[in-house]
Amino acid sequence: QLQASGGGSVQTGDSLRLSCAASGRTFSGYFLGWFRQPPGKEREFVGATRWSSAADVASVSYSDSVKGRFTISRDKSKNMIYLQMNSLKPEDTAVYYCAARHFTQSSYNVWGQGTQVTVSS
């Protein structure tokens, strides 16, 4: 139902855009989020947006580590969400996942397969 793609190997300072295809259900009332798991570390929150809200910057939240460098956007006509990553750093190296949770739930329970992002110095 969620499939992330677009990962790859880049250099410090480069940009990369990840895509997440949502299928098989409606995500009205859901938050769609991006998470990442660096090598040897626990999975961490990157950012999230409300699927149903109008395009609104205030509806998107980011972790402090990516704020100002990463941008989440949606294309509801294509059932896609994106993670635009700029000014990448080696510490951004991780497997990136997209996930969803209904607004009534406290945790994300719909997960897609991850995509690897490697940033070399």
Side-chain angles (χ1 to χ4, degrees):
Q1 293 176 338
L2 295 174
Q3 179 65 53
S5 62
S9 296
V10 297
Q11 302 281 332
T12 297
D14 285 351
S15 297
L16 203 59
R17 189 179 80 157
L18 305 184
S19 301
C20 177
S23 63
R25 66 191 298 170
T26 176
F27 284 96
S28 176
Y30 279 75
F31 286 87
L32 276 292
W34 286 97
F35 291 77
R36 66 186 182 184
Q37 186 163 18
K41 297 183 179 181
E42 293 187 354
R43 188 164 54 197
E44 62 186 31
F45 174 79
V46 174
T49 184
R50 290 182 61 187
W51 180 258
S52 300
S53 67
D56 181 356
V57 173
S59 297
V60 185
S61 60
Y62 300 96
S63 68
D64 289 342
S65 62
V66 307
K67 198 173 296 182
R69 299 188 298 123
F70 290 11
T71 303
I72 293 174
S73 61
R74 301 162 300 152
D75 186 337
K76 291 196 284 184
S77 68
K78 296 180 179 179
N79 273 7
M80 299 286 290
I81 64 168
Y82 304 98
L83 180 66
Q84 177 66 43
M85 305 183 294
N86 298 329
S87 302
L88 282 162
K89 306 174 182 180
E91 50 264 42
D92 294 318
T93 295
V95 178
Y96 284 73
Y97 300 87
C98 56
R101 68 171 178 89
H102 193 259
F103 76 93
T104 58
Q105 297 175 316
S106 59
S107 61
Y108 286 79
N109 61 346
V110 181
W111 290 88
Q113 290 184 329
T115 185
Q116 176 72 46
V117 173
T118 302
V119 185
S120 57
S121 57

